[in-house]
Amino acid sequence: METVSENRAFGGVQGVYRHGSEACGCDMTFGLFLPEEARDGPVPVLWYLSGLTCTHENAMVKAGAQGWAAEQGIALVFPDTSPRGEGVADDEAYDLGQGAGFYVNATQAPWAAHFRMWDYLAEELPALVGGAFALDMERQAITGHSMGGHGALTLAMRLPGRFASVSAFAPIAHPTQSDWGRKQLGAYLGDDGWEAHDATLLMQERGFDGPVLVDQGSEDQFLDLLKPEALAEAMAARRQEGVFRMQKGYDHSYFFVSSFMEEHLSFHAEALYAR
């Protein structure tokens, strides 16, 4: 694993690291913030999954998460959103290919060779960071924005016991019924396996074994694609432990994400330290 950069931040260290990924068949880059407490021993971990077009860097520099994570003594992992590099399939559209991995294992050409983001995030990257850094992998939580909110919710519900809590900012909530979903799931998976990557359907079928927090802006320009009402209805019908909040006047941007980041960090800290 190569250290790309390390910077002092809020008493801790914000690092960027590159490694060869067996799952994705290429080099992958991720960000990791370690609070000061990591000098003395393993600290809890919050995963942040980003949205369409993002790299590891967007949330790392825009979400304002490190200060609040430092206060709580929590590490932050910022993975990339897709495989990248020479020989990795891509598409001219912003919402398919590099930057748009959708957190699935692709089965269809030309994507199947590299686009295995599910295995990367469910297995490979946790094993890597857990072995290389002072992280308490028995205390993990996960969050994400837009496509990353989709990824966070689906990983949390399909990996019971892994995460103490899950939250999402404006998640793609019902991709099997949205153009942000049907296009990508069809390209990556063909006609099979879509239901396993739909947060609304997973909420209806199994729910999450912990608390859930979802924030959605009322002025989000992508509301028709996100379909938040479907997830809210599924949470209510299941009596899922959690809260869905419609935040008046907010859009889809990182101004929205950063406005509520402190509350999300506090939400996860409560769950993590209860373990």
mmCIF file of all heavy atoms in Angstrom, residues 157-173:
data_model
loop_
_atom_site.group_PDB
_atom_site.id
_atom_site.type_symbol
_atom_site.label_atom_id
_atom_site.label_comp_id
_atom_site.label_asym_id
_atom_site.label_seq_id
_atom_site.Cartn_x
_atom_site.Cartn_y
_atom_site.Cartn_z
ATOM 1 N N MET A 157 -28.043 -3.495 5.255
ATOM 2 C CA MET A 157 -29.125 -4.462 5.397
ATOM 3 C C MET A 157 -28.726 -5.868 4.965
ATOM 4 O O MET A 157 -29.264 -6.851 5.469
ATOM 5 C CB MET A 157 -30.362 -3.979 4.629
ATOM 6 C CG MET A 157 -31.089 -2.852 5.346
ATOM 7 S SD MET A 157 -32.662 -2.374 4.585
ATOM 8 C CE MET A 157 -32.089 -1.215 3.343
ATOM 9 N N ARG A 158 -27.776 -5.973 4.052
ATOM 10 C CA ARG A 158 -27.374 -7.293 3.572
ATOM 11 C C ARG A 158 -26.210 -7.893 4.344
ATOM 12 O O ARG A 158 -25.858 -9.061 4.121
ATOM 13 C CB ARG A 158 -27.029 -7.218 2.085
ATOM 14 C CG ARG A 158 -28.259 -7.032 1.196
ATOM 15 C CD ARG A 158 -27.879 -7.013 -0.277
ATOM 16 N NE ARG A 158 -27.150 -8.208 -0.666
ATOM 17 C CZ ARG A 158 -26.424 -8.308 -1.792
ATOM 18 N NH1 ARG A 158 -26.331 -7.262 -2.614
ATOM 19 N NH2 ARG A 158 -25.796 -9.437 -2.082
ATOM 20 N N LEU A 159 -25.626 -7.127 5.254
ATOM 21 C CA LEU A 159 -24.535 -7.634 6.086
ATOM 22 C C LEU A 159 -24.937 -7.492 7.553
ATOM 23 O O LEU A 159 -24.367 -6.701 8.304
ATOM 24 C CB LEU A 159 -23.237 -6.866 5.806
ATOM 25 C CG LEU A 159 -22.673 -6.966 4.392
ATOM 26 C CD1 LEU A 159 -21.502 -6.017 4.214
ATOM 27 C CD2 LEU A 159 -22.265 -8.406 4.063
ATOM 28 N N PRO A 160 -25.949 -8.241 7.993
ATOM 29 C CA PRO A 160 -26.445 -8.083 9.363
ATOM 30 C C PRO A 160 -25.350 -8.332 10.391
ATOM 31 O O PRO A 160 -24.542 -9.248 10.243
ATOM 32 C CB PRO A 160 -27.559 -9.135 9.456
ATOM 33 C CG PRO A 160 -27.298 -10.103 8.350
ATOM 34 C CD PRO A 160 -26.657 -9.312 7.261
ATOM 35 N N GLY A 161 -25.322 -7.463 11.395
ATOM 36 C CA GLY A 161 -24.320 -7.569 12.441
ATOM 37 C C GLY A 161 -23.045 -6.807 12.171
ATOM 38 O O GLY A 161 -22.245 -6.586 13.080
ATOM 39 N N ARG A 162 -22.806 -6.404 10.922
ATOM 40 C CA ARG A 162 -21.560 -5.712 10.575
ATOM 41 C C ARG A 162 -21.556 -4.278 11.132
ATOM 42 O O ARG A 162 -20.558 -3.839 11.699
ATOM 43 C CB ARG A 162 -21.391 -5.691 9.047
ATOM 44 C CG ARG A 162 -20.251 -4.801 8.525
ATOM 45 C CD ARG A 162 -18.908 -5.440 8.666
ATOM 46 N NE ARG A 162 -18.811 -6.674 7.902
ATOM 47 C CZ ARG A 162 -18.378 -6.743 6.640
ATOM 48 N NH1 ARG A 162 -18.015 -5.644 5.985
ATOM 49 N NH2 ARG A 162 -18.303 -7.915 6.016
ATOM 50 N N PHE A 163 -22.660 -3.566 10.927
ATOM 51 C CA PHE A 163 -22.693 -2.147 11.248
ATOM 52 C C PHE A 163 -23.623 -1.868 12.424
ATOM 53 O O PHE A 163 -24.740 -2.384 12.482
ATOM 54 C CB PHE A 163 -23.144 -1.340 10.034
ATOM 55 C CG PHE A 163 -22.271 -1.544 8.822
ATOM 56 C CD1 PHE A 163 -22.709 -2.328 7.753
ATOM 57 C CD2 PHE A 163 -21.010 -0.980 8.761
ATOM 58 C CE1 PHE A 163 -21.906 -2.529 6.639
ATOM 59 C CE2 PHE A 163 -20.194 -1.178 7.648
ATOM 60 C CZ PHE A 163 -20.648 -1.951 6.588
ATOM 61 N N ALA A 164 -23.170 -1.009 13.328
ATOM 62 C CA ALA A 164 -23.988 -0.638 14.479
ATOM 63 C C ALA A 164 -25.111 0.307 14.078
ATOM 64 O O ALA A 164 -26.161 0.339 14.734
ATOM 65 C CB ALA A 164 -23.116 0.031 15.544
ATOM 66 N N SER A 165 -24.922 1.072 13.016
ATOM 67 C CA SER A 165 -25.909 2.060 12.574
ATOM 68 C C SER A 165 -25.672 2.371 11.111
ATOM 69 O O SER A 165 -24.589 2.137 10.568
ATOM 70 C CB SER A 165 -25.796 3.345 13.410
ATOM 71 O OG SER A 165 -24.446 3.787 13.461
ATOM 72 N N VAL A 166 -26.706 2.924 10.465
ATOM 73 C CA VAL A 166 -26.592 3.342 9.070
ATOM 74 C C VAL A 166 -27.338 4.652 8.899
ATOM 75 O O VAL A 166 -28.405 4.857 9.493
ATOM 76 C CB VAL A 166 -27.147 2.266 8.102
ATOM 77 C CG1 VAL A 166 -28.609 1.947 8.365
ATOM 78 C CG2 VAL A 166 -26.957 2.698 6.644
ATOM 79 N N SER A 167 -26.764 5.551 8.102
ATOM 80 C CA SER A 167 -27.458 6.791 7.757
ATOM 81 C C SER A 167 -27.225 7.097 6.289
ATOM 82 O O SER A 167 -26.352 6.502 5.645
ATOM 83 C CB SER A 167 -26.991 7.955 8.637
ATOM 84 O OG SER A 167 -25.687 8.389 8.295
ATOM 85 N N ALA A 168 -28.023 8.013 5.770
ATOM 86 C CA ALA A 168 -27.909 8.364 4.352
ATOM 87 C C ALA A 168 -28.360 9.798 4.140
ATOM 88 O O ALA A 168 -29.296 10.275 4.792
ATOM 89 C CB ALA A 168 -28.742 7.421 3.496
ATOM 90 N N PHE A 169 -27.681 10.472 3.226
ATOM 91 C CA PHE A 169 -28.054 11.795 2.762
ATOM 92 C C PHE A 169 -28.609 11.649 1.352
ATOM 93 O O PHE A 169 -27.894 11.231 0.437
ATOM 94 C CB PHE A 169 -26.845 12.731 2.718
ATOM 95 C CG PHE A 169 -26.137 12.930 4.030
ATOM 96 C CD1 PHE A 169 -25.139 12.053 4.444
ATOM 97 C CD2 PHE A 169 -26.451 14.006 4.848
ATOM 98 C CE1 PHE A 169 -24.468 12.239 5.642
ATOM 99 C CE2 PHE A 169 -25.787 14.207 6.049
ATOM 100 C CZ PHE A 169 -24.798 13.329 6.447
ATOM 101 N N ALA A 170 -29.891 11.965 1.166
ATOM 102 C CA ALA A 170 -30.520 11.937 -0.154
ATOM 103 C C ALA A 170 -30.173 10.676 -0.939
ATOM 104 O O ALA A 170 -29.647 10.743 -2.051
ATOM 105 C CB ALA A 170 -30.127 13.179 -0.959
ATOM 106 N N PRO A 171 -30.450 9.501 -0.388
ATOM 107 C CA PRO A 171 -30.067 8.260 -1.084
ATOM 108 C C PRO A 171 -30.918 7.985 -2.312
ATOM 109 O O PRO A 171 -32.079 8.399 -2.379
ATOM 110 C CB PRO A 171 -30.322 7.183 -0.019
ATOM 111 C CG PRO A 171 -31.447 7.743 0.798
ATOM 112 C CD PRO A 171 -31.170 9.218 0.880
ATOM 113 N N ILE A 172 -30.345 7.291 -3.282
ATOM 114 C CA ILE A 172 -31.139 6.700 -4.362
ATOM 115 C C ILE A 172 -31.879 5.540 -3.712
ATOM 116 O O ILE A 172 -31.323 4.474 -3.472
ATOM 117 C CB ILE A 172 -30.254 6.224 -5.520
ATOM 118 C CG1 ILE A 172 -29.481 7.395 -6.103
ATOM 119 C CG2 ILE A 172 -31.097 5.551 -6.599
ATOM 120 C CD1 ILE A 172 -28.481 7.004 -7.186
ATOM 121 N N ALA A 173 -33.148 5.767 -3.389
ATOM 122 C CA ALA A 173 -33.854 4.912 -2.443
ATOM 123 C C ALA A 173 -34.590 3.738 -3.081
ATOM 124 O O ALA A 173 -34.871 2.753 -2.397
ATOM 125 C CB ALA A 173 -34.840 5.751 -1.631
#
